Amino acid sequence: MTALDIQRALAALREIQVKAVELPPSCEHDAHVIAALAVTVEQILTCAMADAA
């Protein structure tokens, strides 16, 4: 995975986090799970990008 691929993935994860917050109140639990997963993947990709540098 190139640095550009990682940057694109990070941008997509940020969009997912924004969309999760926009879910209706009835989906609040799902929104928290989605956001938590996105943060975890973002952290992994950030570490991978730092290791690649």
Side-chain angles (χ1 to χ4, degrees):
M1 196 176 229
T2 68
L4 183 58
D5 292 334
I6 294 172
Q7 289 174 344
R8 287 181 181 156
L10 289 170
L13 286 168
R14 289 183 195 106
E15 287 182 37
I16 290 168
Q17 290 170 317
V18 169
K19 295 297 181 187
V21 171
E22 295 173 352
L23 289 172
S26 62
C27 300
E28 185 176 353
H29 175 73
D30 295 337
H32 287 291
V33 171
I34 291 167
L37 286 170
V39 167
T40 301
V41 174
E42 183 177 0
Q43 290 171 344
I44 292 167
L45 289 174
T46 301
C47 289
M49 194 158 75
D51 290 344

Short mmCIF file of all heavy atoms in Angstrom, two decimals:
data_model
loop_
_atom_site.label_atom_id
_atom_site.label_comp_id
_atom_site.label_asym_id
_atom_site.label_seq_id
_atom_site.Cartn_x
_atom_site.Cartn_y
_atom_site.Cartn_z
N MET A 1 0.84 -1.17 0.00
CA MET A 1 0.00 0.00 0.00
C MET A 1 0.90 1.24 0.00
O MET A 1 1.78 1.36 0.84
CB MET A 1 -0.89 -0.04 1.25
CG MET A 1 -2.06 0.88 1.21
SD MET A 1 -3.08 0.64 2.69
CE MET A 1 -4.65 0.51 1.92
N THR A 2 0.66 2.13 -0.94
CA THR A 2 1.47 3.34 -1.02
C THR A 2 0.96 4.41 -0.05
O THR A 2 -0.15 4.30 0.48
CB THR A 2 1.43 3.92 -2.45
OG1 THR A 2 0.11 4.41 -2.71
CG2 THR A 2 1.84 2.89 -3.48
N ALA A 3 1.76 5.43 0.15
CA ALA A 3 1.36 6.53 1.03
C ALA A 3 0.09 7.20 0.50
O ALA A 3 -0.79 7.58 1.27
CB ALA A 3 2.49 7.54 1.16
N LEU A 4 -0.02 7.31 -0.82
CA LEU A 4 -1.23 7.90 -1.42
C LEU A 4 -2.45 7.04 -1.14
O LEU A 4 -3.53 7.56 -0.81
CB LEU A 4 -1.04 8.08 -2.92
CG LEU A 4 -2.18 8.76 -3.67
CD1 LEU A 4 -2.46 10.15 -3.09
CD2 LEU A 4 -1.86 8.87 -5.15
N ASP A 5 -2.31 5.72 -1.22
CA ASP A 5 -3.41 4.81 -0.90
C ASP A 5 -3.85 4.99 0.55
O ASP A 5 -5.05 5.01 0.85
CB ASP A 5 -3.00 3.36 -1.12
CG ASP A 5 -2.79 3.01 -2.58
OD1 ASP A 5 -3.40 3.67 -3.45
OD2 ASP A 5 -2.01 2.09 -2.85
N ILE A 6 -2.88 5.11 1.44
CA ILE A 6 -3.19 5.28 2.86
C ILE A 6 -3.90 6.61 3.09
O ILE A 6 -4.88 6.67 3.84
CB ILE A 6 -1.92 5.16 3.72
CG1 ILE A 6 -1.37 3.73 3.64
CG2 ILE A 6 -2.19 5.55 5.17
CD1 ILE A 6 -0.02 3.53 4.30
N GLN A 7 -3.44 7.66 2.43
CA GLN A 7 -4.08 8.97 2.58
C GLN A 7 -5.52 8.93 2.08
O GLN A 7 -6.42 9.49 2.70
CB GLN A 7 -3.29 10.04 1.83
CG GLN A 7 -1.98 10.38 2.50
CD GLN A 7 -1.13 11.33 1.67
OE1 GLN A 7 -1.37 11.52 0.48
NE2 GLN A 7 -0.12 11.89 2.30
N ARG A 8 -5.75 8.24 0.99
CA ARG A 8 -7.12 8.10 0.46
C ARG A 8 -7.99 7.31 1.43
O ARG A 8 -9.15 7.64 1.65
CB ARG A 8 -7.09 7.42 -0.90
CG ARG A 8 -6.58 8.30 -1.99
CD ARG A 8 -6.59 7.58 -3.32
NE ARG A 8 -6.08 8.43 -4.37
CZ ARG A 8 -5.55 8.00 -5.49
NH1 ARG A 8 -5.45 6.70 -5.72
NH2 ARG A 8 -5.10 8.85 -6.39
N ALA A 9 -7.44 6.26 2.00
CA ALA A 9 -8.19 5.45 2.96
C ALA A 9 -8.52 6.27 4.21
O ALA A 9 -9.63 6.20 4.73
CB ALA A 9 -7.40 4.20 3.34
N LEU A 10 -7.57 7.08 4.66
CA LEU A 10 -7.81 7.94 5.82
C LEU A 10 -8.91 8.96 5.53
O LEU A 10 -9.77 9.21 6.38
CB LEU A 10 -6.52 8.65 6.24
CG LEU A 10 -5.47 7.76 6.89
CD1 LEU A 10 -4.15 8.52 7.04
CD2 LEU A 10 -5.94 7.25 8.24
N ALA A 11 -8.90 9.52 4.33
CA ALA A 11 -9.95 10.47 3.94
C ALA A 11 -11.32 9.78 3.92
O ALA A 11 -12.32 10.35 4.39
CB ALA A 11 -9.63 11.08 2.59
N ALA A 12 -11.37 8.58 3.41
CA ALA A 12 -12.63 7.82 3.39
C ALA A 12 -13.11 7.52 4.80
O ALA A 12 -14.31 7.62 5.09
CB ALA A 12 -12.45 6.53 2.60
N LEU A 13 -12.19 7.19 5.69
CA LEU A 13 -12.58 6.91 7.07
C LEU A 13 -13.14 8.15 7.75
O LEU A 13 -14.10 8.07 8.52
CB LEU A 13 -11.38 6.39 7.87
CG LEU A 13 -10.98 4.96 7.56
CD1 LEU A 13 -9.62 4.64 8.16
CD2 LEU A 13 -12.03 4.00 8.09
N ARG A 14 -12.57 9.31 7.46
CA ARG A 14 -13.09 10.56 8.03
C ARG A 14 -14.51 10.82 7.53
O ARG A 14 -15.37 11.26 8.29
CB ARG A 14 -12.16 11.72 7.70
CG ARG A 14 -10.86 11.63 8.47
CD ARG A 14 -9.94 12.81 8.21
NE ARG A 14 -8.61 12.48 8.68
CZ ARG A 14 -7.58 12.19 7.91
NH1 ARG A 14 -7.71 12.19 6.60
NH2 ARG A 14 -6.41 11.89 8.43
N GLU A 15 -14.76 10.52 6.27
CA GLU A 15 -16.11 10.68 5.72
C GLU A 15 -17.08 9.72 6.41
O GLU A 15 -18.22 10.08 6.71
CB GLU A 15 -16.11 10.43 4.22
CG GLU A 15 -15.47 11.54 3.43
CD GLU A 15 -15.54 11.29 1.92
OE1 GLU A 15 -16.55 10.75 1.45
OE2 GLU A 15 -14.57 11.64 1.23
N ILE A 16 -16.63 8.50 6.66
CA ILE A 16 -17.47 7.52 7.36
C ILE A 16 -17.81 8.02 8.76
O ILE A 16 -18.95 7.89 9.21
CB ILE A 16 -16.77 6.14 7.41
CG1 ILE A 16 -16.72 5.53 6.01
CG2 ILE A 16 -17.44 5.21 8.40
CD1 ILE A 16 -15.83 4.32 5.88
N GLN A 17 -16.83 8.60 9.44
CA GLN A 17 -17.07 9.13 10.78
C GLN A 17 -18.12 10.24 10.75
O GLN A 17 -19.01 10.29 11.60
CB GLN A 17 -15.78 9.64 11.41
CG GLN A 17 -14.82 8.52 11.76
CD GLN A 17 -13.45 9.04 12.15
OE1 GLN A 17 -12.92 9.92 11.50
NE2 GLN A 17 -12.88 8.47 13.19
N VAL A 18 -18.04 11.11 9.77
CA VAL A 18 -19.02 12.20 9.64
C VAL A 18 -20.41 11.63 9.37
O VAL A 18 -21.39 12.04 10.00
CB VAL A 18 -18.61 13.17 8.51
CG1 VAL A 18 -19.73 14.15 8.18
CG2 VAL A 18 -17.36 13.94 8.91
N LYS A 19 -20.49 10.67 8.47
CA LYS A 19 -21.79 10.06 8.15
C LYS A 19 -22.37 9.32 9.35
O LYS A 19 -23.58 9.31 9.56
CB LYS A 19 -21.66 9.11 6.95
CG LYS A 19 -21.30 9.79 5.67
CD LYS A 19 -22.36 10.76 5.24
CE LYS A 19 -21.99 11.42 3.94
NZ LYS A 19 -22.92 12.48 3.57
N ALA A 20 -21.52 8.70 10.15
CA ALA A 20 -22.00 7.98 11.34
C ALA A 20 -22.67 8.95 12.32
O ALA A 20 -23.69 8.62 12.91
CB ALA A 20 -20.85 7.24 12.02
N VAL A 21 -22.10 10.13 12.46
CA VAL A 21 -22.67 11.13 13.37
C VAL A 21 -24.02 11.62 12.85
O VAL A 21 -24.89 11.99 13.64
CB VAL A 21 -21.69 12.32 13.53
CG1 VAL A 21 -22.31 13.46 14.28
CG2 VAL A 21 -20.42 11.85 14.23
N GLU A 22 -24.22 11.58 11.54
CA GLU A 22 -25.45 12.07 10.93
C GLU A 22 -26.59 11.05 10.97
O GLU A 22 -27.70 11.37 10.56
CB GLU A 22 -25.19 12.48 9.49
CG GLU A 22 -24.25 13.67 9.37
CD GLU A 22 -23.86 13.98 7.94
OE1 GLU A 22 -24.19 13.19 7.03
OE2 GLU A 22 -23.22 15.02 7.73
N LEU A 23 -26.34 9.84 11.46
CA LEU A 23 -27.40 8.84 11.54
C LEU A 23 -28.48 9.29 12.52
O LEU A 23 -28.19 10.03 13.47
CB LEU A 23 -26.83 7.49 11.98
CG LEU A 23 -25.97 6.76 10.95
CD1 LEU A 23 -25.30 5.54 11.59
CD2 LEU A 23 -26.79 6.33 9.76
N PRO A 24 -29.71 8.85 12.32
CA PRO A 24 -30.79 9.25 13.23
C PRO A 24 -30.57 8.71 14.65
O PRO A 24 -29.82 7.73 14.84
CB PRO A 24 -32.04 8.64 12.60
CG PRO A 24 -31.56 7.60 11.67
CD PRO A 24 -30.17 7.97 11.26
N PRO A 25 -31.22 9.33 15.63
CA PRO A 25 -31.04 8.91 17.02
C PRO A 25 -31.34 7.42 17.26
O PRO A 25 -30.73 6.80 18.12
CB PRO A 25 -32.03 9.78 17.79
CG PRO A 25 -32.19 11.00 16.94
CD PRO A 25 -32.06 10.52 15.53
N SER A 26 -32.22 6.85 16.48
CA SER A 26 -32.55 5.43 16.66
C SER A 26 -31.36 4.53 16.31
O SER A 26 -31.34 3.36 16.68
CB SER A 26 -33.76 5.05 15.82
OG SER A 26 -33.50 5.24 14.45
N CYS A 27 -30.39 5.07 15.62
CA CYS A 27 -29.20 4.31 15.21
C CYS A 27 -27.97 4.72 16.01
O CYS A 27 -26.84 4.50 15.57
CB CYS A 27 -28.93 4.51 13.73
SG CYS A 27 -30.26 3.97 12.65
N GLU A 28 -28.17 5.32 17.16
CA GLU A 28 -27.06 5.86 17.93
C GLU A 28 -26.01 4.81 18.26
O GLU A 28 -24.81 5.06 18.13
CB GLU A 28 -27.57 6.50 19.22
CG GLU A 28 -26.51 7.20 20.02
CD GLU A 28 -27.06 7.91 21.25
OE1 GLU A 28 -28.28 7.97 21.41
OE2 GLU A 28 -26.24 8.37 22.04
N HIS A 29 -26.45 3.62 18.67
CA HIS A 29 -25.49 2.56 18.99
C HIS A 29 -24.66 2.20 17.77
O HIS A 29 -23.43 2.08 17.85
CB HIS A 29 -26.20 1.32 19.53
CG HIS A 29 -25.27 0.17 19.77
ND1 HIS A 29 -24.39 0.14 20.82
CD2 HIS A 29 -25.07 -0.97 19.06
CE1 HIS A 29 -23.68 -0.98 20.77
NE2 HIS A 29 -24.07 -1.67 19.71
N ASP A 30 -25.32 2.04 16.63
CA ASP A 30 -24.62 1.72 15.39
C ASP A 30 -23.61 2.81 15.04
O ASP A 30 -22.50 2.53 14.60
CB ASP A 30 -25.60 1.53 14.23
CG ASP A 30 -26.51 0.33 14.42
OD1 ASP A 30 -26.12 -0.59 15.17
OD2 ASP A 30 -27.60 0.32 13.82
N ALA A 31 -24.00 4.06 15.23
CA ALA A 31 -23.12 5.18 14.93
C ALA A 31 -21.86 5.12 15.78
O ALA A 31 -20.75 5.36 15.29
CB ALA A 31 -23.85 6.50 15.14
N HIS A 32 -22.02 4.78 17.07
CA HIS A 32 -20.86 4.68 17.95
C HIS A 32 -19.93 3.55 17.52
O HIS A 32 -18.70 3.69 17.53
CB HIS A 32 -21.29 4.49 19.41
CG HIS A 32 -21.85 5.71 20.04
ND1 HIS A 32 -21.10 6.82 20.33
CD2 HIS A 32 -23.12 6.00 20.43
CE1 HIS A 32 -21.87 7.74 20.87
NE2 HIS A 32 -23.09 7.27 20.94
N VAL A 33 -20.50 2.43 17.14
CA VAL A 33 -19.70 1.28 16.70
C VAL A 33 -18.95 1.63 15.42
O VAL A 33 -17.74 1.36 15.30
CB VAL A 33 -20.59 0.03 16.49
CG1 VAL A 33 -19.81 -1.09 15.82
CG2 VAL A 33 -21.16 -0.44 17.82
N ILE A 34 -19.64 2.23 14.47
CA ILE A 34 -19.01 2.62 13.20
C ILE A 34 -17.87 3.60 13.45
O ILE A 34 -16.78 3.46 12.91
CB ILE A 34 -20.06 3.22 12.24
CG1 ILE A 34 -21.03 2.14 11.78
CG2 ILE A 34 -19.38 3.89 11.04
CD1 ILE A 34 -22.27 2.67 11.08
N ALA A 35 -18.13 4.60 14.28
CA ALA A 35 -17.11 5.61 14.57
C ALA A 35 -15.91 4.98 15.27
O ALA A 35 -14.76 5.31 14.95
CB ALA A 35 -17.70 6.73 15.41
N ALA A 36 -16.15 4.09 16.21
CA ALA A 36 -15.05 3.44 16.93
C ALA A 36 -14.20 2.59 15.98
O ALA A 36 -12.96 2.61 16.06
CB ALA A 36 -15.60 2.59 18.07
N LEU A 37 -14.85 1.87 15.10
CA LEU A 37 -14.10 1.06 14.12
C LEU A 37 -13.29 1.95 13.18
O LEU A 37 -12.13 1.65 12.88
CB LEU A 37 -15.06 0.19 13.31
CG LEU A 37 -15.64 -1.01 14.04
CD1 LEU A 37 -16.75 -1.64 13.22
CD2 LEU A 37 -14.56 -2.03 14.36
N ALA A 38 -13.89 3.05 12.75
CA ALA A 38 -13.18 3.96 11.86
C ALA A 38 -11.95 4.54 12.55
O ALA A 38 -10.88 4.65 11.94
CB ALA A 38 -14.11 5.08 11.39
N VAL A 39 -12.07 4.90 13.81
CA VAL A 39 -10.94 5.45 14.56
C VAL A 39 -9.84 4.40 14.68
O VAL A 39 -8.65 4.70 14.51
CB VAL A 39 -11.38 5.95 15.95
CG1 VAL A 39 -10.19 6.23 16.84
CG2 VAL A 39 -12.22 7.20 15.81
N THR A 40 -10.21 3.17 14.97
CA THR A 40 -9.23 2.10 15.12
C THR A 40 -8.48 1.87 13.81
O THR A 40 -7.24 1.78 13.80
CB THR A 40 -9.91 0.79 15.57
OG1 THR A 40 -10.57 1.04 16.82
CG2 THR A 40 -8.92 -0.33 15.73
N VAL A 41 -9.20 1.79 12.71
CA VAL A 41 -8.55 1.59 11.41
C VAL A 41 -7.69 2.79 11.06
O VAL A 41 -6.59 2.65 10.53
CB VAL A 41 -9.60 1.31 10.30
CG1 VAL A 41 -8.94 1.26 8.94
CG2 VAL A 41 -10.34 0.02 10.59
N GLU A 42 -8.17 3.99 11.39
CA GLU A 42 -7.38 5.20 11.14
C GLU A 42 -6.05 5.15 11.90
O GLU A 42 -5.00 5.48 11.35
CB GLU A 42 -8.17 6.43 11.55
CG GLU A 42 -7.48 7.73 11.26
CD GLU A 42 -8.32 8.95 11.61
OE1 GLU A 42 -9.45 8.78 12.09
OE2 GLU A 42 -7.82 10.06 11.41
N GLN A 43 -6.09 4.71 13.13
CA GLN A 43 -4.86 4.60 13.93
C GLN A 43 -3.89 3.58 13.32
O GLN A 43 -2.69 3.82 13.25
CB GLN A 43 -5.19 4.23 15.37
CG GLN A 43 -5.87 5.35 16.13
CD GLN A 43 -6.38 4.90 17.49
OE1 GLN A 43 -6.51 3.71 17.76
NE2 GLN A 43 -6.71 5.86 18.33
N ILE A 44 -4.42 2.46 12.86
CA ILE A 44 -3.58 1.43 12.24
C ILE A 44 -2.94 1.97 10.96
O ILE A 44 -1.74 1.79 10.74
CB ILE A 44 -4.41 0.16 11.95
CG1 ILE A 44 -4.82 -0.51 13.27
CG2 ILE A 44 -3.65 -0.81 11.05
CD1 ILE A 44 -5.89 -1.57 13.12
N LEU A 45 -3.73 2.64 10.14
CA LEU A 45 -3.19 3.17 8.90
C LEU A 45 -2.17 4.28 9.15
O LEU A 45 -1.17 4.38 8.43
CB LEU A 45 -4.32 3.69 8.01
CG LEU A 45 -5.22 2.63 7.38
CD1 LEU A 45 -6.37 3.27 6.64
CD2 LEU A 45 -4.41 1.73 6.45
N THR A 46 -2.41 5.09 10.16
CA THR A 46 -1.47 6.15 10.50
C THR A 46 -0.14 5.55 10.91
O THR A 46 0.94 6.03 10.51
CB THR A 46 -2.04 7.06 11.60
OG1 THR A 46 -3.28 7.62 11.14
CG2 THR A 46 -1.10 8.18 11.96
N CYS A 47 -0.18 4.50 11.71
CA CYS A 47 1.06 3.81 12.11
C CYS A 47 1.75 3.19 10.90
O CYS A 47 2.98 3.25 10.77
CB CYS A 47 0.77 2.73 13.15
SG CYS A 47 0.34 3.37 14.76
N ALA A 48 0.98 2.61 10.01
CA ALA A 48 1.55 2.01 8.80
C ALA A 48 2.22 3.06 7.94
O ALA A 48 3.29 2.81 7.38
CB ALA A 48 0.46 1.28 8.00
N MET A 49 1.62 4.22 7.85
CA MET A 49 2.20 5.30 7.05
C MET A 49 3.49 5.80 7.70
O MET A 49 4.48 6.06 7.01
CB MET A 49 1.21 6.45 6.88
CG MET A 49 1.62 7.41 5.80
SD MET A 49 0.27 8.39 5.14
CE MET A 49 0.02 9.56 6.44
N ALA A 50 3.50 5.90 9.02
CA ALA A 50 4.70 6.34 9.73
C ALA A 50 5.83 5.31 9.57
O ALA A 50 7.00 5.68 9.38
CB ALA A 50 4.40 6.55 11.21
N ASP A 51 5.48 4.03 9.61
CA ASP A 51 6.48 2.97 9.44
C ASP A 51 7.05 2.96 8.02
O ASP A 51 8.23 2.64 7.83
CB ASP A 51 5.88 1.60 9.75
CG ASP A 51 5.59 1.43 11.23
OD1 ASP A 51 6.11 2.22 12.06
OD2 ASP A 51 4.82 0.51 11.58
N ALA A 52 6.20 3.30 7.06
CA ALA A 52 6.64 3.30 5.66
C ALA A 52 7.56 4.47 5.34
O ALA A 52 8.33 4.41 4.39
CB ALA A 52 5.44 3.32 4.73
N ALA A 53 7.47 5.52 6.16
CA ALA A 53 8.27 6.74 5.89
C ALA A 53 9.71 6.60 6.30
O ALA A 53 10.24 5.76 6.82
CB ALA A 53 7.67 7.91 6.63
#
